[in-house]
Amino acid sequence: MSDSSINLDELRQRIDQLDGDILRLISERADCAQKVAHVKLADDKDAVFYRPEREAQVLRRIMSLNKGPLDSEEMARLFREIMSACLALEQPIKVAYLGPEGTFTQQAALKHFGESAISLPMAAIDEVFREVEAGAVNYGVVPVENSTEGVVNHTLDTFMDSSIHICGEVVLRIHHHLLISDTTRRDKISRIYSHPQSFGQCRKWLDAHYPHAERVPVSSNAEAAKLVKTEWHSAAIAGDMAAKLYGLERIADKIEDRPDNSTRFLIIGNQRVPMAGEDKTSIVVAMRNQPGALHDLLEPFHRHKIDLTRIETRPSRTGVWNYVFFIDFKGHVDEPRVAAVLEEVKLRASELRVLGSYPQGVL
Ligand SMILES: O=C(O)C(=O)C[C@]1(C(=O)O)C=C[C@@H](O)C=C1
């Protein structure tokens, strides 16, 4: 036996030992989570098991303790899955997302809740809201903005008619690929299916590589991937999940025009989330139709040094909602300076609704 094989055996013995230790510790942790569930139930028979603020704190702590060699995001992803399995022991969590299966929204749902969550595809954004409001699922995941294409208006509009809370956010790097099936003639591609937002994110690449192919918008990238299975002259633009789900081949990788292309998704639910430490708040405000309205609205934020992360204007849909602004800012409604700003804004606005305070996305 060579020296290197002795070393290999020794190292594998050490790995076996460590795996045994990790197994014991994960089981001990799961046992603790089960006890947490009993404590929650003893306090309240309608106990809420999923605690976004606690999960954010656990993940941030792991990232700050990590000394490598695995990078902190990788380590947090492992802990994400451990927590997901622990939560499933407390209560299996049902999450509705904008489907069909294989969409980036499903990917975002799994990134946020981990693989132990039960994820259920819905045909439309309103349906995700309805399922959450009706209590048929615990949470929902909907896209809200893309770094290249901007805001998802439909999601914002749906908030206006709903009493739902935002419980979290998750940002996903979006990589698009050009996909074909095993029956596609790759030299004869004359039609490309995708979601309109994805066409927008790959516009320059398509102009350069497939200027003459017909671009057919469909309701989702996964739908595009499904259609390609049946047509020999078509390709689809979609992500990894859809490619795997429908067994498609990637003939061009990462074709998005901007390398930092990412989409932000919101986690919606029926619970108010306590402070996690690094939080965000989303509000919707209606101002009266008068000069200086936007200045009046933003001035208190400036004075109290509150960091705005986004502001969107949407057309009003009732007489009361003349101008409607969706505003995100750093901070939590339970912080006195945030509460003070909201009091001031309330006096200046014709309507103010806090959509939720929630931990800033960790992963
Ligand atoms: O701390 C809790 O409240 C738990 O239920 C435990 C735990 C965890 O595994 O750490 C599990 C689920 C919650 O969403 C948050 C954390």
Side-chain angles (χ1 to χ4, degrees), residues 29 33 36-37 40 49-52 54-55 58 82-84 86-87 90:
R29 191 188 192 288
V36 168
K40 286 178 186 166
F49 295 97
Y50 170 60
R51 301 291 171 94
R54 173 66 184 155
E55 295 209 352
V58 169
I82 293 173
M83 256 196 305
S84 175
C86 288
L87 176 60
E90 292 186 41

Side-chain angles (χ1 to χ4, degrees), residues 166-326:
I166 302 175
C167 308
E169 64 169 6
V170 54
V171 178
L172 197 68
R173 260 312 240 289
I174 303 288
H175 296 303
H176 290 299
H177 316 299
L178 190 69
L179 306 172
I180 57 167
S181 78
D182 44 10
T183 54
T184 310
R185 296 265 311 271
R186 65 173 73 198
D187 53 333
K188 293 270 189 265
I189 295 170
S190 60
R191 180 183 292 168
I192 300 179
Y193 292 106
S194 199
H195 187 271
Q197 281 245 347
S198 309
F199 278 131
Q201 292 161 26
C202 304
R203 190 173 296 124
K204 284 194 200 136
W205 188 91
L206 282 169
D207 289 348
H209 294 86
Y210 288 89
H212 303 301
E214 182 193 4
R215 296 175 200 179
V216 182
V218 290
S219 58
S220 72
N221 305 69
E223 179 63 24
K226 200 171 169 181
L227 286 167
V228 164
K229 290 293 283 179
T230 55
E231 293 180 16
W232 60 268
H233 59 106
S234 300
I237 295 177
D240 279 324
M241 247 184 134
K244 275 195 204 116
L245 186 67
Y246 294 103
L248 301 181
E249 185 192 342
R250 288 151 56 151
I251 54 168
D253 270 10
K254 299 187 179 169
I255 61 171
E256 59 278 3
D257 297 331
R258 295 175 57 130
D260 59 350
N261 186 35
S262 46
T263 296
R264 178 169 169 253
F265 298 83
L266 295 176
I267 313 302
I268 55 173
N270 292 308
Q271 88 200 59
R272 285 178 197 280
V273 181
M275 258 196 274
E278 283 171 60
D279 301 282
K280 256 188 194 174
T281 297
S282 299
I283 59 173
V284 55
V285 191
M287 296 298 283
R288 284 173 204 92
N289 192 0
Q290 62 193 30
L294 183 58
H295 175 268
D296 287 351
L297 168 60
L298 298 183
E299 189 276 328
F301 289 94
H302 175 70
R303 192 160 23 85
H304 289 270
K305 297 191 172 47
I306 288 186
D307 196 356
L308 298 184
T309 55
R310 187 176 66 122
I311 174 158
E312 301 289 344
T313 315
R314 293 293 300 146
S316 95
R317 302 205 298 183
T318 69
V320 187
W321 301 87
N322 280 324
Y323 285 118
V324 182
F325 300 102
F326 285 88

Side-chain angles (χ1 to χ4, degrees), residues 98-109:
L98 176 64
E101 251 188 291
T103 53
F104 288 111
T105 315
Q106 184 182 23
Q107 210 175 314

Side-chain angles (χ1 to χ4, degrees), residues 56-183:
Q57 285 162 350
V58 169
L59 295 177
R60 282 188 197 128
R61 177 168 174 273
I62 289 298
M63 290 173 91
S64 70
L65 287 176
N66 181 45
K67 294 195 169 67
L70 290 180
D71 80 32
S72 295
E73 279 218 0
E74 195 61 57
M75 195 57 102
R77 269 198 289 275
L78 293 173
F79 275 81
R80 159 71 288 151
E81 287 307 328
I82 293 173
M83 256 196 305
S84 175
C86 288
L87 176 60
L89 270 185
E90 292 186 41
Q91 180 201 38
I93 291 288
K94 278 196 209 158
V95 181
Y97 64 91
L98 176 64
E101 251 188 291
T103 53
F104 288 111
T105 315
Q106 184 182 23
Q107 210 175 314
L110 294 177
K111 181 178 178 189
H112 189 81
F113 288 98
E115 297 278 339
S116 301
I118 302 162
S119 60
L120 303 163
M122 299 293 137
I125 287 173
D126 330 28
E127 237 177 88
V128 177
F129 275 76
R130 266 204 305 277
E131 290 289 291
V132 176
E133 268 174 335
V137 296
N138 305 95
Y139 301 95
V141 183
V142 287
V144 69
E145 59 180 319
N146 173 267
S147 57
T148 313
E149 281 296 282
V151 67
V152 181
N153 288 326
H154 198 70
T155 295
L156 294 188
D157 291 347
T158 313
F159 273 113
M160 285 194 235
D161 307 323
S162 157
S163 58
I164 221 98
H165 289 287
I166 302 175
C167 308
E169 64 169 6
V170 54
V171 178
L172 197 68
R173 260 312 240 289
I174 303 288
H175 296 303
H176 290 299
H177 316 299
L178 190 69
L179 306 172
I180 57 167
S181 78
D182 44 10
T183 54

